[in-house]
Amino acid sequence: MAKRHRLIRATPGQVWEVLADGERYADWVVGTSRSKPVRGQWPEVGAAISYEVRIGPVRLHNETVVRRCVPGRELELEAKAGPLGTARIAIDVRSWGDDSLVVVDEHPLQGAGGKIHNVGVEALIQLRHREMLRRLEEVCEEARRHLGGGRSAPGRPEPAGA
């Protein structure tokens, strides 16, 4: 089971705003592009978004469905990856002082992904999660700057006009 965490210099509310925007999914999830809500009201249980995965000239269209949601705190998704099967991805947003501790926990549910899951695959998922959490932090920082609120992370000055 691939589990990774990151301290993000944004409030849990700011992090949740990004997670709750189905159109921004591709901005922070590694390997995806062009996400859009297709069913329900994201991130309510049963809601789904579609997204594209590009591997060179090949474009695959997949879907992620919300399986559990505690607004502002927990989001559990089932990501469908065609012939690779499905995976459970749980995202937990915890208050950590003025910041957020975000924990991602992923494991295969069905299909080939579960059959080939091993230490090597686990290492790749860890690398993917590290980049995904970095991107999530970047999107949260961008949103904070755009709204003109909050504070900058230590060692990073506020941009002019923010």
Side-chain angles (χ1 to χ4, degrees), residues 31-44:
T32 64
S33 62
R34 292 194 223 180
S35 61
K36 68 177 182 175
V38 291
R39 276 194 317 279
Q41 183 66 38
W42 187 268
E44 292 175 2

Side-chain angles (χ1 to χ4, degrees), residues 16-96:
W16 189 259
E17 282 181 34
V18 172
L19 296 176
D21 186 345
E23 294 192 21
R24 301 228 49 194
Y25 185 83
D27 294 343
W28 57 273
V29 176
V30 174
T32 64
S33 62
R34 292 194 223 180
S35 61
K36 68 177 182 175
V38 291
R39 276 194 317 279
Q41 183 66 38
W42 187 268
E44 292 175 2
V45 173
I49 58 170
S50 69
Y51 56 91
E52 183 177 86
V53 176
R54 295 180 187 174
I55 305 168
V58 177
R59 295 172 192 248
L60 304 170
H61 296 277
N62 291 314
E63 184 177 274
T64 294
V65 179
V66 177
R67 295 297 184 205
R68 184 171 177 273
C69 179
V70 177
R73 292 206 45 206
E74 299 172 21
L75 185 60
E76 290 192 30
L77 308 171
E78 182 175 354
K80 299 177 181 180
L84 291 177
T86 63
R88 171 193 171 262
I89 303 164
I91 304 167
D92 186 13
V93 181
R94 302 174 188 173
S95 178
W96 198 262

Side-chain angles (χ1 to χ4, degrees), residues 96-113:
W96 198 262
D98 293 334
D99 302 321
S100 300
L101 181 63
V102 180
V103 181
V104 177
D105 175 2
E106 178 177 351
H107 64 271
L109 287 174
Q110 303 174 43

